[in-house]
Amino acid sequence: MTETPPRLFDRQLLARRRNRAAPKLADYNFLVRRAFDDMCDRVDSITRDFDRAAILGGGPGLTDELGTHPAAAKIGWLTQSDLAGDVAARLDRPSVCLDEEALPFAEESLDLVLAPWGLHWTNDLPGVLVQINHALKPDGFFAAALLGGSTLTELRQCLMTAESELTGGASARVSPYAGTFDMAALLQRAGFAMPVADIDRVTVRYDNAFALMADLRGMGETSVLADRPQKPASRALFVRTAELYAEKFADPNGRIRASFDIIHAAGWAPHPDQPKPKRPGSATHRLADALGVTETSLGEKAGK
């Protein structure tokens, strides 16, 4: 019996907030563009072309960004999508409004899938990765970028401390994020070959916590936790949060720091011609010889 994954995020609320941010989303997508730029470099380093490709999420402006990279010459037909209808309507054609948790692509219909933003809001990330793998042709390539690790750790700490001071308790108000090694393992579990994951740590500086929160609203990245407090947060909570932020995480010039960890992950749909790891014990040369050192057995080292 298949277990239903827990519902961590309210994706309908996420769509509404992205719709609200849609008119000016391109003005706040500096992190998305940074992530997508790195993904384009990955595609450019691959010595093959991709006839059919899809970009999942990320918002407007990415096809223009792609056009500035040599990677664009490797890609034929391309579609872009978004969970929010108003955002999808602003994308270059062909575009589609879709839910990443229920992808409409036929099996083995794509050569390349890029997910430059948004997978950190999926309730069933392993299931989404399996769907992407199925949509790729053998030896198709997948790359994603999503927020993870210590993203917004400063804001999280200050909110929890402020709420604890004011009410005697603390609620989850910032999304939990995946770790780097989690992503490589998830790709492998989803059936991808040669999975890799790494992290791009970005520090953004703001005049104050209110400017940071305004940016998060502009990005459509405010919390959509399913078990979020239903009572709206008080102004006193945000004022105290801003005070704590300035006390704990300000530079000498008074500007505050906000951490964003962008996790990059990539893998290939399996193909018989892909490199295979050698079986244990099949090496023909000793590591000690390659390093120019004397090999010592564990028994000798222990004095046995």
Side-chain angles (χ1 to χ4, degrees):
M1 181 177 177
T2 303
E3 294 185 5
T4 302
R7 182 174 174 268
L8 295 175
F9 307 115
D10 183 340
R11 290 181 59 77
Q12 292 183 336
L13 176 60
L14 174 62
R16 291 199 299 272
R17 289 186 174 172
R18 286 187 65 78
N19 280 332
R20 180 184 65 188
K24 295 185 177 181
L25 190 60
D27 297 334
Y28 292 90
N29 69 349
F30 58 96
L31 289 174
V32 179
R33 286 180 178 272
R34 179 188 178 109
F36 190 65
D37 184 70
D38 287 348
M39 296 171 69
C40 289
D41 288 342
R42 290 173 186 256
V43 173
D44 185 45
S45 68
I46 300 170
T47 56
R48 58 160 290 189
D49 293 338
F50 302 94
D51 291 338
R52 297 180 64 82
I55 299 175
L56 304 179
L62 296 189
T63 50
D64 290 339
E65 184 77 17
L66 176 62
T68 67
H69 286 264
K74 297 174 179 287
I75 299 174
W77 180 87
L78 173 67
T79 186
Q80 191 177 356
S81 72
D82 201 274
L83 173 68
D86 289 353
V87 178
R90 287 169 166 79
L91 303 177
D92 291 335
R93 297 291 187 265
S95 62
V96 61
C97 177
L98 59 77
D99 187 342
E100 293 92 344
E101 294 186 344
L103 294 176
F105 303 117
E107 189 168 351
E108 297 187 6
S109 60
L110 298 169
D111 301 284
L112 173 68
V113 174
L114 302 176
W117 212 251
L119 292 191
H120 48 271
W121 291 122
T122 56
N123 289 303
D124 183 15
L125 182 55
V128 172
L129 296 176
V130 168
Q131 291 184 61
I132 292 171
N133 195 356
H134 288 169
L136 285 170
K137 299 176 184 178
D139 206 32
F141 183 64
F142 167 64
L146 59 161
L147 291 176
S150 298
T151 293
L152 296 175
T153 181
E154 304 91 350
L155 180 61
R156 188 195 315 270
Q157 293 175 47
C158 293
L159 275 168
M160 292 185 68
T161 301
E163 190 167 18
S164 180
E165 289 181 1
L166 294 172
T167 68
S171 306
R173 295 185 181 274
V174 179
S175 169
Y177 295 108
T180 310
F181 296 109
D182 294 342
M183 280 305 302
L186 286 177
L187 284 172
Q188 189 170 37
R189 281 176 51 195
F192 283 95
M194 299 176 285
V196 295
D198 54 49
I199 193 163
D200 177 21
R201 290 192 166 93
V202 185
T203 299
V204 184
R205 287 169 171 81
Y206 292 92
D207 289 337
N208 51 56
F210 293 106
L212 165 61
M213 288 184 275
D215 248 19
L216 293 175
R217 286 193 297 272
M219 297 176 191
E221 289 291 328
T222 51
S223 177
V224 291
L225 286 167
D227 62 350
R228 67 196 179 278
Q230 296 303 304
K231 182 179 179 180
S234 66
R235 175 169 175 77
L237 173 62
F238 292 123
V239 169
R240 182 56 182 148
T241 297
E243 291 172 348
L244 289 167
Y245 213 133
E247 293 171 9
K248 296 182 177 183
F249 302 108
D251 291 338
N253 63 3
R255 304 196 82 200
I256 63 167
R257 303 181 299 276
S259 298
F260 295 91
D261 285 0
I262 303 174
I263 295 178
H264 286 272
W268 296 83
H271 187 279
D273 294 338
Q274 289 169 346
K276 300 292 190 298
K278 292 184 179 295
R279 60 179 177 80
S282 63
T284 58
H285 299 282
R286 298 189 311 157
L287 179 60
D289 294 338
L291 297 177
V293 298
T294 301
E295 183 175 10
T296 303
S297 70
L298 292 176
E300 292 173 344
K301 193 171 184 179
K304 294 182 179 178

